[in-house]
Amino acid sequence: MSVNQQAHAGPPYGQPQPGYQGYQQPAYGGQPLPGVPQSQYGAYNGPMPGYQQPVPPQGSLRAPPTSGAPPPASGASLPSGHLAYSQFGHGDVQNGIPASAAPMQRPPASQPFLPGSAPTPVSQTATFQQYGPPPASVQQLSNHMAGMTIGSTTASAPPPAGLGYGPSTSVPPVSGSFSATGSGLYTPYTASQGPSPTSVSQGLPLAQPLFPGQPMSTQRLPTQVPGFVPPPSSAGIGPSSYPPSTGAPRPPTMPGPPLPGQTVAGPPTSQPNHVSSPPPPSTMSGPHPGPPMSGLHGPPPPTHPPQPGYQMQQNGSFGQVRSPQPNYGGAYPGTPNYGSQPGPPPPPKRLDPDSIPSPIQVIEDDRSNRGSEPFVTGVRGQVPPLVTTNFLVKDQGNASPRYIRCTSYNIPCTSDMAKQSQVPLAAVIKPLATLPPEETLPYLVDHGESGPVRCNRCKAYMCPFMQFIEGGRRFQCCFCSCVTEVPPHYFQHLDHTGKRVDFYDRPELSLGSYEFLATVDYCKNNKFPSPPAFIFMIDVSYNAVKSGLVRLICEELKSLLDYLPREGNMEESAIRVGFVTYNKVLHFYNVKSSLAQPQMMVVSDVADMFVPLLDGFLVNVNESRTVIASLLDQIPEMFADTRETETVFAPVIQAGLEALKAAECAGKLFIFHTSLPIAEAPGKLKNRDDKKLINTDKEKTLFQPQTSFYNNLAKDCVAQGCCVDLFLFPNQYLDVATLGVVTYQTGGSIYKYAYFQLETDQDRFLNDLRRDVQKEVGFDAVMRVRTSTGIRATDFFGAFYMSNTTDVEMAGLDCDKTITVEFKHDDKLSEDSGALLQCALLYTSCAGQRRLRIHNLSLNCCTQLADLYRNCETDTLINYLAKYAYRGVLSSPVKTVRDALINQCAQILACYRKNCASPSSAGQLILPECMKLLPVYLNCVLKSDVLQPGPEVTTDDRAYIRQLVTSMDVAETNVFFYPRLLPLTKADVDSDSLPAAIRNSEERLSKGDIYLLENGLNIFVWVGVNVQQGLIQNLFGVSSFGQISSALSTLPVLENPFSKKVRSIVDMLQVQRSRYMKLIIVKQEDKLEMLFKHFLVEDKSLSGGASYVDFLCHMHKEIRQLLS
């Protein structure tokens, strides 16, 4: 019988059962529940009355809900009686993990089978470890499972002998951190295949680790998902029965191979998702972000053989009555319902968000599995811990993941295989990344006048993968196989293994990242560079003066100039500074140290820009300190009464460029600009903002510059090493898409403060300015990526300029900027030799020293698609896909770009399903373990302002975000697309740790709590309408919810533990991000709440973006179309 047919009979729990209203009675193993007909359901550990079960039928496995009590709908208001299992009083309904360490619930060791789509019994082999003789204790189970870690790692230990990963077996998991394998539910895996995939069965049942210790659920999708056209009935999407698992405690996590006989499906929720009072929190010791699982405190359930055909509840207690229990039933619709009365087919149900892959859970599992050990880079093709995990790196021959992260660490041997999988092969490279203090900076190697040793043919630099031959007299290049003579001064004998005896003394032979001092041959015009210069260029038009901006900048610069970047142990910075002010004309200042007062020179011929003075424009800060201070005092006074509203822009950049040319040095322009440059001058712009173009074929013009003038100017800037950083303070449209061109192509940064107000925005602006001026930056930079034979770099994304197909040129490259490189095959690769990348960056340091920074990385190659899918890194993949899409909007309609993204991801997942997962019902969505978050993260990219703007998003905002994301690193895109949401009221005021994060959905919020959401640009503090008065007093210093001011831009400094804790959390987050985040206070039901909800990315968005649940259904439909 087809699994796709609707069931003719109701599932076993299809009817409301008498006597378990409210599930107040926790009855464990064997104790009968009052009011429960004993005849119909046996005690948890007894055999089913009247039911022989020699062999569980093979096929789909489904299992009991994750908790003794069918948990309430996530976020649903609970009747008061239902808080029975929470350790909090009724008034303190929590959602999130409390700090207290109440007893942890253990995973049940036994779970029932349900008859599968194939009712034919299968003779039970040893693989199935029936739990007749159960493991001595639940602890033993976890030992069983400790051999494997999850996440993007591969198996570190073979599975226990008893567990076969063979096709006839269904092996669902005991632990939430492992996805089950199995014929009915999950893909069986062959023994070589490492961690199993995540599967969502029958429609979209996602059996997958949701929360640590949560047994997986296999479930079905609603027949009709809101927002999507229902698939044809043959699609096999049955009604969903996802366990809403919010509420009481979760069992402890047990990473490891799944145990047999076990999968779970839980009761569906039929309550509406009110935000009113979320379910009680889970009690876990240790931080476990994420919505808690429901379950009861209590002894572990007894272990007994699973019973076929019955949905057993853990802990022996039964659920409350719900309106006809939807599909709690015999496995797939259409199988015989053992022992249950026929009933009407269940109504369609919404997929439960708790049963689909949780980003919070994946992040938490990775932290607990990989955060304690250092990541040692000696082994080829290791997948690093996630960017959200704090870990230490030990360089032993491959570059740290802080410098390079890849979409996959095991790449296909052939281009056909790469095309088939559609997984893009890309590296996100951050050449000057800042390292934590406990890690060593790259060593600087000086080879004297002869310079670094390189391959004769491909010019690759000496690195750990070069092979020395002929007793050390020659070396064979690991990139192109050419043999090169070792220069006499570099010769060294080899030891018995063929390694040079000075291997550990030379960074370039033993480390993945290091620097060479460059010789004069690596310098422009064959002469060593002068130290760079910083030129501050301040808009003094009416808006800038009136808002107080000009005065603020001048005041700040007085002290900031003492903090210019300097080399290691230098007494003072070698960087020289200059000053320009402008409106319709430009004012240059002579601040030579011999002058008593600064001199101003005006250039009004903006059409033919020149610098009116050479001597005295760029000066040493210490020598000219008094003259500079005098100038900065005078500028605000000089322009205090200005009436000039118009500004120029291109001539300002030209002036800075000419000044650097005259001084024969590289440098950076800091331009503070307020309005659209409409004054008569080169680069003059018109207001072309037009919201009507959105969703038309002409929408792409909004992202393109309106004139090619700035592209040509950018090219001249790059040639001189003139990098432009732009601070924008617009009160209306100012065409970021055009003004940002020079910044973007020179490797600079844009900062935007719309409707700048001194009292609310000054902190953010000053912090950004300080960091921007002080951060490490390389000038006049050129980067080239070399690869071993078989692949080559074909495409580049980021803030840079390219005059040919190989060299990435940047006038400036700072420690926050990344360059994303895509690779394509040009030949076959071999599994033995793997693939190598070498990123070489030539740049001038802030002291004027020419250097080469080298990063090397070795990757594995595979002939099996399963190996590719087991070594991918979803965060890096999303970083690449976002950049690819954000570039696509320049040339294609946004809808085309969105469709292409969805299609590519559907192809990636369909290829996995077809080639790596074992045959199973088309009704299952099966996701690779390390890509199970691809749908949720991809949906966030699709809903972002660039690809799906809401009505309040301006054209400038979209252009700004587009440019910003293009040079973000993986950690930044991760939090930008899936923001971090922390329950502040759950913070432990006595510890330094952050409270456990929760998922980005409104149904996770409680009216009685305060939450913090950060995305790298903003921090929102959301205050529920029922927050206790004491908390409001402690945090805001006012006595009631109504008195909290939404205009606050900083939290008041109050002397109490809660205030201190929250402010320390905010400070901790600010330090982690490259930009100072704007603090926004959001009161529940206030007008700002709409803005806040925009960042709750698992929910439907106002601009039409799908919720995570709906998008997962949609992806499933796409995958099935590809497979059919």
Side-chain angles (χ1 to χ4, degrees):
M1 130 179 261
S2 153
V3 284
N4 299 329
Q5 293 167 359
Q6 279 299 321
H8 57 82
Y13 288 6
Q15 305 80 22
Q17 327 278 329
Y20 348 119
Q21 268 78 359
Y23 56 101
Q24 261 89 336
Q25 328 88 320
Y28 294 99
Q31 309 158 9
L33 281 168
V36 176
Q38 198 60 30
S39 60
Q40 197 185 353
Y41 305 99
Y44 193 48
N45 59 354
M48 272 306 191
Y51 211 86
Q52 297 318 101
Q53 34 120 197
V55 276
Q58 188 216 356
S60 136
L61 303 176
R62 290 211 310 145
T66 8
S67 86
S74 44
S77 18
L78 296 172
S80 57
H82 294 190
L83 293 179
Y85 306 119
S86 152
Q87 82 270 34
F88 296 93
H90 295 314
D92 192 1
V93 179
Q94 303 208 6
N95 157 356
I97 316 328
S100 83
M104 294 206 264
Q105 186 194 325
R106 308 198 178 156
S110 94
Q111 289 167 350
F113 280 107
L114 287 168
S117 46
T120 37
V122 175
S123 58
Q124 204 57 10
T125 57
T127 11
F128 234 115
Q129 298 175 323
Q130 271 274 12
Y131 295 129
S137 71
V138 177
Q139 183 51 47
Q140 205 169 319
L141 293 183
S142 58
N143 297 346
H144 238 90
M145 308 184 70
M148 275 183 157
T149 40
I150 325 252
S152 34
T153 52
T154 44
S156 53
L163 280 182
Y165 281 4
S168 65
T169 343
S170 298
V171 187
V174 76
S175 112
S177 48
F178 220 83
S179 36
T181 57
S183 51
L185 160 72
Y186 255 139
T187 41
Y189 246 76
T190 51
S192 65
Q193 278 180 295
S196 39
T198 297
S199 121
V200 188
S201 136
Q202 187 55 2
L204 220 158
L206 198 87
Q208 85 120 16
L210 269 345
F211 297 90
Q214 170 193 5
M216 250 60 75
S217 19
T218 105
Q219 297 137 9
R220 326 207 185 138
L221 270 200
T223 331
Q224 181 161 4
V225 183
F228 285 110
V229 187
S233 56
S234 66
I237 296 215
S240 108
S241 57
Y242 272 69
S245 29
T246 34
R250 288 176 267 180
T253 316
M254 300 197 267
L259 287 184
Q262 187 167 338
T263 70
V264 193
T269 61
S270 45
Q271 294 103 319
N273 292 315
H274 295 305
V275 190
S276 51
S277 52
S282 80
T283 49
M284 282 293 298
S285 53
H288 263 272
M293 300 301 309
S294 48
L296 307 179
H297 304 252
T303 54
H304 259 256
Q307 331 273 335
Y310 270 90
Q311 271 296 45
M312 271 311 201
Q313 304 258 0
Q314 296 172 26
N315 301 344
S317 60
F318 291 89
Q320 81 217 67
V321 177
R322 303 200 170 192
S323 50
Q325 287 279 53
N327 40 331
Y328 230 97
Y332 290 110
T335 45
N337 281 300
Y338 298 93
S340 76
Q341 311 307 309
K349 265 319 215 189
R350 176 171 168 252
L351 206 58
D352 173 44
D354 277 332
S355 47
I356 54 183
S358 156
I360 302 301
Q361 196 47 55
V362 171
I363 288 169
E364 200 41 58
D365 288 348
D366 193 75
R367 279 187 188 143
S368 51
N369 293 333
R370 307 199 62 187
S372 48
E373 291 297 304
F375 178 69
V376 181
T377 72
V379 182
R380 182 174 85 189
Q382 282 186 105
V383 183
L386 299 182
V387 283
T388 42
T389 298
N390 275 330
F391 60 99
L392 208 62
V393 179
K394 289 198 171 153
D395 185 341
Q396 291 194 357
N398 282 294
S400 161
R402 301 190 206 289
Y403 294 124
I404 307 184
R405 275 188 178 263
C406 294
T407 52
S408 179
Y409 287 80
N410 200 333
I411 62 181
C413 282
T414 64
S415 61
D416 289 349
M417 202 172 144
K419 283 192 190 98
Q420 187 185 358
S421 74
Q422 287 285 316
V423 176
L425 305 175
V428 180
I429 305 174
K430 194 175 183 183
L432 298 179
T434 311
L435 299 184
E438 52 276 17
E439 290 178 22
T440 319
L441 292 170
Y443 289 100
L444 182 60
V445 179
D446 184 357
H447 280 314
E449 286 181 17
S450 59
V453 178
R454 304 176 67 176
C455 165
N456 269 344
R457 184 199 289 160
C458 70
K459 300 290 183 247
Y461 294 87
M462 179 53 66
C463 72
F465 313 121
M466 297 290 191
Q467 193 64 47
F468 287 88
I469 53 175
E470 296 176 24
R473 285 190 293 282
R474 304 168 85 184
F475 68 90
Q476 183 169 26
C477 178
C478 50
F479 295 94
C480 71
S481 305
C482 174
V483 173
T484 301
E485 294 284 335
V486 173
H489 71 90
Y490 198 70
F491 174 77
Q492 188 52 274
H493 295 287
L494 308 184
D495 66 12
H496 64 285
T497 65
K499 261 187 191 168
R500 285 172 52 124
V501 296
D502 62 353
F503 176 80
Y504 290 109
D505 304 330
R506 292 194 176 271
E508 74 274 20
L509 298 181
S510 54
L511 299 176
S513 301
Y514 42 87
E515 294 201 310
F516 290 121
L517 206 51
T519 58
V520 76
D521 309 336
Y522 291 87
C523 303
K524 248 187 214 163
N525 310 326
N526 278 19
K527 60 182 211 188
F528 284 112
S530 311
F534 282 1
I535 305 176
F536 297 92
M537 314 184 92
I538 306 167
D539 174 346
V540 288
S541 63
Y542 178 76
N543 276 345
V545 174
K546 182 167 154 278
S547 65
L549 181 62
V550 173
R551 186 176 297 279
L552 181 68
I553 293 168
C554 292
E555 278 303 313
E556 178 61 29
L557 286 178
K558 284 187 214 168
S559 54
L560 188 55
L561 294 176
D562 288 331
Y563 296 97
L564 298 176
R566 52 174 173 240
E567 213 63 70
N569 49 9
M570 288 171 59
E571 293 277 312
E572 62 176 57
S573 175
I575 292 173
R576 291 169 297 160
V577 297
F579 302 89
V580 172
T581 56
Y582 67 94
N583 38 46
K584 265 190 354 191
V585 297
L586 277 78
H587 323 105
F588 292 81
Y589 297 92
N590 184 342
V591 282
K592 198 174 177 179
S593 56
S594 55
L595 296 174
Q597 282 295 323
Q599 294 171 347
M600 171 165 145
M601 298 185 186
V602 180
V603 176
S604 51
D605 181 7
V606 288
D608 182 20
M609 204 58 228
F610 67 99
V611 179
L613 75 163
L614 287 180
D615 192 27
F617 179 62
L618 294 177
V619 297
N620 173 293
V621 174
N622 280 343
E623 290 169 11
S624 298
R625 182 175 297 280
T626 51
V627 195
I628 290 173
S630 168
L631 170 68
L632 293 171
D633 283 337
Q634 289 175 36
I635 288 175
E637 306 309 326
M638 265 192 288
F639 297 99
D641 301 323
T642 186
R643 284 282 166 264
E644 185 54 74
T645 55
E646 293 187 0
T647 57
V648 295
F649 185 70
V652 181
I653 297 176
Q654 287 171 325
L657 172 61
E658 292 304 322
L660 294 177
K661 271 186 186 163
E664 297 185 346
C665 68
K668 187 182 265 202
L669 313 182
F670 295 84
I671 302 180
F672 305 91
H673 188 80
T674 60
S675 59
L676 191 69
I678 52 173
E680 215 37 66
K684 171 186 172 179
L685 301 178
K686 59 181 194 292
N687 186 337
R688 51 152 188 173
D689 189 17
D690 187 357
K691 281 278 181 84
K692 292 196 288 293
L693 297 181
I694 291 178
N695 295 327
T696 69
D697 284 357
K698 290 195 173 155
E699 183 172 1
K700 58 178 179 275
T701 59
L702 297 175
F703 296 110
Q704 298 164 354
Q706 57 173 285
T707 156
S708 62
F709 181 87
Y710 289 95
N711 294 69
N712 298 327
L713 181 53
K715 186 175 166 183
D716 297 341
C717 287
V718 172
Q720 181 55 42
C722 168
C723 176
V724 179
D725 278 3
L726 191 50
F727 292 81
L728 297 173
F729 306 87
N731 289 335
Q732 56 201 24
Y733 178 72
L734 58 67
D735 203 347
V736 173
T738 306
L739 297 188
V741 167
V742 179
T743 296
Y744 185 65
Q745 293 191 17
T746 57
S749 306
I750 301 184
Y751 298 85
K752 180 165 156 291
Y753 311 88
Y755 308 106
F756 178 81
Q757 288 182 306
L758 216 55
E759 55 282 1
T760 54
D761 296 310
Q762 110 173 18
D763 271 359
R764 180 164 63 109
F765 163 57
L766 293 179
N767 275 289
D768 282 342
L769 177 60
R770 286 167 196 155
R771 189 163 191 280
D772 197 56
V773 167
Q774 295 174 44
K775 67 185 169 189
E776 185 191 351
V777 66
F779 294 94
D780 235 337
V782 183
M783 187 183 97
R784 184 176 280 192
V785 178
R786 292 179 174 82
T787 53
S788 53
T789 313
I791 52 169
R792 62 194 170 85
T794 54
D795 209 352
F796 301 85
F797 303 82
F800 52 73
Y801 174 79
M802 290 187 84
S803 55
N804 58 32
T805 56
T806 54
D807 295 335
V808 175
E809 300 172 50
M810 293 155 287
L813 172 68
D814 64 49
C815 54
D816 298 321
K817 295 281 184 306
T818 61
I819 294 93
T820 301
V821 186
E822 186 178 9
F823 303 97
K824 290 267 194 318
H825 286 76
D826 56 6
D827 202 348
K828 282 200 171 71
L829 294 164
S830 90
E831 284 190 277
D832 298 339
S833 51
L836 301 174
L837 320 176
Q838 183 178 79
C839 162
L841 176 77
L842 175 63
Y843 71 100
T844 301
S845 74
C846 54
Q849 197 177 52
R850 202 69 176 149
R851 294 181 175 182
L852 282 152
R853 180 169 287 202
I854 313 294
H855 297 298
N856 302 287
L857 186 63
S858 59
L859 303 172
N860 287 329
C861 296
C862 57
T863 52
Q864 298 295 319
L865 283 165
D867 292 324
L868 162 70
Y869 282 103
R870 214 175 13 259
N871 291 280
C872 287
E873 227 262 285
T874 299
D875 293 322
T876 310
L877 192 55
I878 288 292
N879 179 285
Y880 164 84
L881 290 170
K883 291 172 182 178
Y884 184 77
Y886 281 17
R887 185 178 67 184
V889 299
L890 292 172
S891 52
S892 308
V894 172
K895 183 177 187 316
T896 310
V897 172
R898 292 166 45 83
D899 291 347
L901 267 186
I902 294 174
N903 184 42
Q904 180 168 8
C905 286
Q907 287 190 320
I908 291 173
L909 297 173
C911 172
Y912 174 80
R913 173 62 191 264
K914 186 176 167 193
N915 299 287
C916 309
S918 67
S920 53
S921 147
Q924 281 176 279
L925 171 61
I926 300 181
L927 303 170
E929 177 62 25
C930 64
M931 280 191 193
K932 64 188 178 198
L933 298 182
L934 189 59
V936 61
Y937 286 164
L938 179 71
N939 190 35
C940 298
V941 175
L942 293 169
K943 295 201 295 191
S944 63
D945 291 339
V946 173
L947 298 181
Q948 195 163 31
E952 73 299 331
V953 180
T954 66
T955 304
D956 274 345
D957 286 333
R958 297 177 74 195
Y960 173 62
I961 294 298
R962 196 191 76 76
Q963 295 194 10
L964 207 55
V965 167
T966 306
S967 43
M968 275 187 184
D969 71 9
V970 180
E972 288 170 324
T973 50
N974 174 274
V975 78
F976 178 75
F977 289 115
Y978 192 93
R980 175 151 58 162
L981 182 59
L982 304 173
L984 294 178
T985 20
K986 307 288 184 287
D988 178 0
V989 294
D990 300 322
S991 93
D992 292 337
S993 61
L994 293 173
I998 60 172
R999 292 171 67 170
N1000 284 196
S1001 171
E1002 191 176 352
E1003 57 188 47
R1004 310 280 169 183
L1005 304 179
S1006 151
K1007 285 185 176 178
D1009 286 326
I1010 301 174
Y1011 298 86
L1012 179 150
L1013 181 144
E1014 62 125 356
N1015 73 339
L1017 297 183
N1018 298 303
I1019 289 180
F1020 293 90
V1021 173
W1022 183 89
V1023 187
V1025 72
N1026 295 345
V1027 172
Q1028 292 168 5
Q1029 199 177 333
L1031 284 175
I1032 291 175
Q1033 183 70 53
N1034 283 344
L1035 189 56
F1036 299 103
V1038 295
S1039 55
S1040 71
F1041 178 81
Q1043 292 174 303
I1044 300 171
S1045 162
S1046 298
L1048 287 175
S1049 61
T1050 51
L1051 291 169
V1053 177
L1054 303 172
E1055 287 302 309
N1056 66 70
F1058 186 59
S1059 172
K1060 285 179 184 166
K1061 176 66 183 176
V1062 172
R1063 283 180 291 115
S1064 82
I1065 289 174
V1066 171
D1067 293 343
M1068 195 191 309
L1069 299 180
Q1070 292 286 20
V1071 168
Q1072 290 174 11
R1073 305 290 169 217
S1074 62
R1075 290 169 182 248
Y1076 196 82
M1077 296 180 281
K1078 180 177 186 173
L1079 184 78
I1080 300 169
I1081 307 294
V1082 178
K1083 294 158 71 176
Q1084 187 178 359
E1085 293 160 13
D1086 192 35
K1087 58 181 186 297
L1088 272 173
E1089 202 182 23
M1090 297 310 276
L1091 179 62
F1092 172 74
K1093 285 181 180 174
H1094 177 65
F1095 296 98
L1096 297 175
V1097 291
E1098 290 197 21
D1099 299 339
K1100 266 203 179 73
S1101 73
L1102 290 171
S1103 52
S1107 69
Y1108 174 19
V1109 166
D1110 292 353
F1111 184 69
L1112 198 55
C1113 301
H1114 181 63
M1115 278 304 282
H1116 187 216
K1117 199 175 93 192
E1118 295 279 321
I1119 292 166
R1120 287 165 56 168
Q1121 279 172 353
L1122 288 171
L1123 292 174
S1124 61

